[in-house]
Amino acid sequence: MPTTHLLYLHGFRSSPQSTKARQVAAHVAQHHPGVTFWCPQLPPSPRAAMALVAGGIADWPQGPGMAVVGSSLGGYYASWVAQQARCTSVLLNPAVHPARDLERYIGEQTAWHNPEERFFFRPEYIAELQALDVRHLPPAGPELLVAAQGDELLDWREMVARYPQATQRVLPGGDHALSDFAQHLPEVLAFCDLV
């Protein structure tokens, strides 16, 4: 059954205005106009973020009719969503240990695409991240990992170790933002099997 609904989850401090999110949205609109695409602005609280997503996809098909793409922290979230929806997931330089890595960001932060917009990353969000960890469960659906060896923020080796059952694309060089994502977009969306 081809995918009729595609969810995109952005990373920490990011937004639906990220380059990757806009590239996916434009490609889906142009080449797969029948696909429902949603990229919500995620709140800083992981619990609130996943509650928002769960509410937004409540009427979507579960399983093969849906896919989720997540970048960085959004990749961590995508693994949780895939478990709930039993669907395909694509993980772009995913955060593997966000509870560990984001601890140093507790406090006031600025939004990447709008530095005037500020938010607080609260200490209790660390436990909320830990509660979303699904690494002890087998994949609920097909997984594609795209990991750049040149990622300056996250270790690609941790990504590879975290997703041993995924189809893995380890890219030489690159960066955390996957600046060359456009050239990988057709493969990513082919993996999602969009109508």
Side-chain angles (χ1 to χ4, degrees):
M1 178 180 171
T3 296
T4 57
H5 291 68
L6 181 64
L7 172 67
Y8 184 97
L9 300 176
H10 64 75
F12 183 67
R13 294 180 55 221
S14 192
S15 77
Q17 296 307 308
S18 77
T19 301
K20 290 189 295 296
R22 287 186 289 113
Q23 287 172 335
V24 172
H27 189 94
V28 169
Q30 182 178 356
H31 300 285
H32 306 279
V35 168
T36 298
F37 176 78
W38 185 40
C39 177
Q41 175 66 59
L42 300 175
S45 159
R47 180 185 295 134
M50 292 305 92
L52 172 71
V53 168
I57 66 171
D59 295 333
W60 287 21
Q62 303 291 289
M66 175 188 163
V68 56
V69 177
S71 174
S72 192
L73 180 59
Y76 182 79
Y77 289 157
S79 291
W80 183 85
V81 170
Q83 280 292 332
Q84 310 309 306
R86 318 297 296 167
C87 70
T88 296
S89 57
V90 176
L91 315 151
L92 308 172
N93 281 343
V96 173
H97 300 289
R100 174 196 72 192
D101 297 337
L102 292 178
E103 207 161 17
R104 66 179 179 264
Y105 291 96
I106 290 172
E108 188 177 41
Q109 300 295 325
T110 57
W112 181 257
H113 299 102
N114 181 7
E116 295 176 7
E117 185 181 319
R118 299 181 180 280
F119 67 93
F120 281 89
F121 190 72
R122 303 188 181 284
E124 57 266 31
Y125 296 166
I126 299 301
E128 292 181 13
L129 286 169
Q130 291 167 334
L132 297 172
D133 195 336
V134 295
R135 76 183 67 230
H136 59 286
L137 300 173
E143 295 175 323
L144 172 64
L145 169 67
V146 180
Q149 291 181 330
D151 189 323
E152 69 281 10
L153 297 180
L154 301 173
D155 188 336
W156 66 273
R157 289 162 294 221
E158 290 187 342
M159 301 173 201
V160 167
R162 161 64 182 88
Y163 294 99
Q165 298 177 49
T167 300
Q168 297 189 350
R169 296 290 178 265
V170 178
L171 311 175
D175 56 21
H176 183 67
L178 285 174
S179 299
D180 60 349
F181 179 65
Q183 72 183 31
H184 305 289
L185 186 53
E187 178 187 9
V188 163
L189 295 182
F191 189 85
C192 293
D193 192 25
L194 302 182
V195 291

